[in-house]
Amino acid sequence: MTRRNATKTVWSGEKEYLVHGASQVPVVHSVAYTYDDIDQWYEVATGKQKGHIYGRNTNPTVQAFEDKVRALERAEASTSFSTGMAAISNSLLTFLKPGDRVVSIKDTYGGTNKIFTEFLPKLQIEVDLIETGNHSKMEDEIAKGCQLVYLETPTNPTVKITDIKRITEAARQMGALVFVDNTFATPINQNPLMMDVDLVIHSATKFLGGHADALGGVVCGSKLLVEQIYHYREINGASLDPMAAYLLLRGMKTLDIRIKKQEENAHQIAQFLKSHRKVETVFYPGLKDHLHHDIAKKQMSGFGSMLSFSLKGEMAAVRQFLPKLQLAHRAANLGAVETTVGPARTTSHVENTKEERQALGIPEGLVRYSTGIEDINDLMEDLEQALRFVGE
């Protein structure tokens, strides 16, 4: 029987791990697992038989979380990490070696950008970052030869969109792997593996968990690729904690309904801000005048709940506006049930200098707005009253 997303978020990945008649997956804190039969122990340890031997490698609670994400992304396999950045860095380092070349976009999350501009070059790995949305330029760079193409769509924090199918086709011609950070879209709104991508990455800390109380990361893809990433992670040790896995697993039960409510709110807020006299520009792919609206409409089933906007008066206006919001956490997070806001210089790109942010096309006065599940009228009234202080 085919299961739809709303059902998968509740049921997938759990049944195998329910014990003693419990209706919820337990938190298994055991570091090691006992075997009386030495031969069976060896079979499990070498992966020839299902089971667990040591917490750094696998854990029942963690595996239930991995299986749920795998089902939603329609993947063959998945593995998890202690954070989203661990998922990104481990996945890249599993496959890249000195002399390799990566082609990516300029608008990736600040931590990802640092990997591309600071850490990979130290390993003699060449990275070329292309203006996000310039698909022909990206195709030209891929055609010069590369081993890996890395995309983030929608991007953080400017919510730009890349045509996944188009770029993946270009990468296929060169035999390059394609990774996509799907954090903003979530499996509810976008499934890159269905567009021939090799690997999908999530910062599970964000929308998957949805409650800002657990760190985690996860990757999904073919069994062949995921097994290699798992091996790198099990040796390097960035394992997901069982309690964090439990919180993420619990949060994911409401993923479908949360995303739909947050997206509904975001669309109305984007329209409201777009018509406000104190707002310079609004970035939201659900708006028809968004630069990449047509691409987003083609490859996404929904436009998500992330938006950003710039105020007239830039950073001075941001300093007046943000403290006056009553229904938003001013914090470096996103994807939670509560609305969260902040400028890129203290959130997504705090690791970057002002000059680096400018080079990436991120205005200092840009406000990132992660829409929560609050009543839409309350959110818009809160924005309206806070905007009154801009320019005073």
Side-chain angles (χ1 to χ4, degrees), residues 220-265:
C220 303
S222 69
K223 188 170 184 287
L224 177 64
L225 293 180
V226 171
E227 282 182 344
Q228 294 175 71
I229 298 168
Y230 161 75
H231 178 60
Y232 187 96
R233 191 268 294 160
E234 70 167 333
I235 300 303
N236 286 276
S239 307
L240 180 62
D241 179 77
M243 189 63 207
Y246 170 79
L247 292 170
L248 296 171
L249 194 63
R250 183 178 65 172
M252 284 189 67
K253 288 179 181 289
T254 59
L255 178 63
D256 185 78
I257 195 168
R258 280 191 285 109
I259 292 300
K260 288 173 180 175
K261 173 60 176 174
Q262 288 171 298
E263 183 176 314
E264 179 185 318
N265 283 351

Side-chain angles (χ1 to χ4, degrees), residues 281-323:
T281 312
V282 178
F283 304 93
Y284 181 65
L287 294 175
K288 291 184 178 179
D289 62 353
H290 184 279
L291 184 62
H292 308 126
H293 173 75
D294 290 342
I295 300 173
K297 189 176 180 180
K298 178 182 67 173
Q299 69 188 22
M300 300 175 72
S301 56
F303 299 109
S305 62
M306 292 301 306
L307 58 99
S308 57
F309 56 95
S310 55
L311 298 172
K312 294 177 180 177
E314 299 182 343
M315 186 50 67
V318 173
R319 288 193 176 96
Q320 293 171 319
F321 168 72
L322 286 186

Side-chain angles (χ1 to χ4, degrees), residues 96 99-104 126-128 138-150 167 170-178:
L96 294 172
D100 282 351
R101 180 169 180 261
V102 177
V103 175
S104 186
E126 181 185 349
V127 181
D128 283 290
M138 197 161 196
E139 288 168 329
D140 290 343
E141 289 300 321
I142 292 170
K144 293 177 182 178
C146 64
Q147 283 66 46
L148 194 148
V149 174
Y150 187 97
I167 297 304
R172 285 285 166 268
Q173 293 177 23
M174 302 307 298
L177 294 172
V178 181

Side-chain angles (χ1 to χ4, degrees), residues 1 31 55 69 116 169 188 228 286 288 353:
M1 184 184 297
V31 168
V69 183
F116 289 150
E169 286 174 5
I188 304 302
Q228 294 175 71
K288 291 184 178 179
T353 65

Side-chain angles (χ1 to χ4, degrees), residues 311-369:
L311 298 172
K312 294 177 180 177
E314 299 182 343
M315 186 50 67
V318 173
R319 288 193 176 96
Q320 293 171 319
F321 168 72
L322 286 186
K324 299 300 181 182
L325 287 172
Q326 298 172 14
L327 294 177
H329 288 303
R330 288 164 288 277
N333 191 37
L334 60 91
V337 292
E338 308 93 354
T339 295
T340 309
V341 300
R345 73 174 193 160
T346 60
T347 57
S348 63
H349 288 71
V350 66
E351 298 93 350
N352 299 88
T353 65
K354 179 179 179 180
E355 293 70 28
E356 287 173 335
R357 287 190 292 271
Q358 288 176 337
L360 296 172
I362 301 171
E364 284 297 279
L366 187 77
V367 175
R368 187 181 72 179
Y369 192 94

